[in-house]
Each structure stands twice: as C-alpha cells, then as structure tokens.
C-alpha cells in the first residue's frame, strides 16, 4: 500500500507545470526541477560570454611575456575554458548534457584595464541553449588565469562575467547593450 501511495505521489509530481513566476526551473510547489525539453525541436544555438581578469601592469606584462612561474597561463586558461564548457551539466545542477559542436575561448590582453578580456563562444544544434556553457567557460578560464598568476599577484580581480549574445531557440536572439 505504501508503494502505491509513493508511486501516485511521484506521478502527481511529474505532471506539475512550471510555476507561474516565469522561472522554468521552479515547479508549482517552488521546488527546483529540470526542464523537460523532449517536445522541443532542435535548432542551431550559439552563446557568447565574456569576463575580465584585472591585475597590475607588471603582472600583465609578465603573463604576456610568458614569465609566469607555472608556465603558459593563457594556453592553460583556454584549455580549461573549453573543458569547463563540456562539463557544465556536471557543475550546474539543472543543466542538460549537450552535444556541443564548438567551443572557442579567446583571451585578449587589455592594457587599459590592465588585465585580460576573456570571451567564449559555444555552439550546439539541440533542444536547449548553451548560455550556461559559455558563461562556465569564461568563469573557469578567468579562474585559471588567476591560479596560474597568483604567485605574481594575489590581488587580481575577476569581474564582469556576462552573456553578450545568444541565438536560436524559442526566446529568439539576445544581444547585450554596448557598455552595459
């Protein structure tokens, strides 16, 4: 009898619709749930995210010159960002595992900061977007720059991680306002 009640309770939960709040990962009862994308058609999707690592000019110059004690800071950061995008579903609890078709991590020295501008582009043909994958790639690439250069400067800051652009899916394209 207890098993039948538990099964009925589970079936009842499975049929709940998302909360009217507009938050797709929250059900009517306010519990977190993974969005059901099974009925959605696959579309080509892209997301572009960015972040910055702010440091002193001296640290920036050492990293650019390849004089960090741990080795190739920017190469390690690019690779870490790519790997992170591929593992986002294991890091963010309600993300779907996706068959990512492209991850590109670009790191640009910005003397005006001083520091590095990190950008990640992620693509997929699928039923859900890759915004979280792009944001995760940027976050981990920035953290890797910090880790690789912390022996030179511990006061570096990671700032401005944000989505710049996304395409595909039901909600359509998004582009961040310039300078926002």
């Amino acid at each position: 009898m207890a098993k039948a009640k538990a099964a009925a309770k589970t079936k009842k939960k499975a049929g709940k619709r998302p909360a009217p709040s507009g938050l797709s990962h929250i059900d009517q009862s306010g519990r977190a749930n993974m969005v059901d994308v099974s009925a959605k058609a696959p579309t080509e999707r892209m997301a572009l995210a960015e972040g910055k690592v702010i440091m002193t000019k001296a640290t920036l110059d050492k990293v650019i010159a390849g004089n960090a004690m741990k080795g190739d800071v920017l190469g390690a950061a690019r690779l870490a960002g790519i790997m992170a995008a591929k593992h986002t579903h294991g890091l963010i609890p309600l993300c779907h595992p996706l068959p990512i078709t492209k991850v590109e991590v670009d790191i640009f020295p910005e003397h005006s900061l001083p520091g590095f501008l990190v950008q990640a582009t992620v693509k997929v043909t699928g039923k859900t977007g890759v915004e979280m994958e792009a944001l995760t790639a940027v976050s981990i690439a920035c953290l890797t720059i910090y880790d690789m250069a912390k022996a030179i400067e511990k006061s570096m800051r990671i700032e401005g991680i944000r989505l710049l652009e996304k395409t595909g899916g039901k909600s359509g394209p998004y582009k961040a306002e310039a300078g926002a």
Side-chain angles (χ1 to χ4, degrees):
M1 186 63 121
K3 283 185 181 181
K5 282 184 181 179
K9 198 174 194 179
T10 302
K11 189 173 183 180
K12 189 175 180 183
K13 284 182 189 177
K16 292 200 177 214
R17 294 176 177 242
S21 66
L23 298 173
S24 61
H25 288 82
I26 306 296
D27 71 12
Q28 293 274 5
S29 302
R31 290 183 297 239
N33 70 329
M34 191 172 195
V35 175
D36 182 356
V37 297
S38 57
K40 293 172 82 176
T43 62
E44 187 173 306
R45 298 159 183 265
M46 180 281 303
L48 170 64
E50 75 172 6
K52 297 173 182 123
V53 184
I54 313 297
M55 59 191 63
T56 65
K57 181 186 178 322
T59 302
L60 176 63
D61 291 343
K62 284 184 180 181
V63 172
I64 291 171
N67 294 332
M69 294 176 4
K70 287 189 174 183
D72 180 6
V73 173
L74 304 182
R78 270 188 211 92
L79 187 56
I82 291 166
M83 291 173 65
K86 293 168 38 174
H87 292 284
T88 300
H89 69 279
L91 300 169
I92 310 287
L94 301 175
C95 283
H96 293 83
L98 299 174
I100 293 172
T101 56
K102 177 183 181 169
V103 179
E104 185 175 333
V105 176
D106 294 308
I107 304 172
F108 306 99
E110 292 286 336
H111 295 279
S112 62
L113 292 174
F116 291 96
L117 172 66
V118 178
Q119 292 187 331
T121 304
V122 181
K123 290 184 176 182
V124 70
T125 299
K127 296 179 176 197
T128 189
V130 285
E131 296 92 340
M132 294 310 301
E133 287 73 10
L135 289 163
T136 300
V138 164
S139 299
I140 297 301
C142 287
L143 285 168
T144 302
I145 291 170
Y146 183 94
D147 180 53
M148 297 285 288
K150 71 181 183 240
I152 303 166
E153 179 186 347
K154 290 183 179 27
S155 63
M156 291 178 284
R157 297 184 323 272
I158 297 170
E159 298 180 355
I161 296 173
R162 67 185 185 137
L163 181 67
L164 291 177
E165 183 178 355
K166 76 116 187 138
T167 62
K170 185 172 80 173
S171 66
Y174 165 81
K175 192 162 188 135
E177 292 182 26

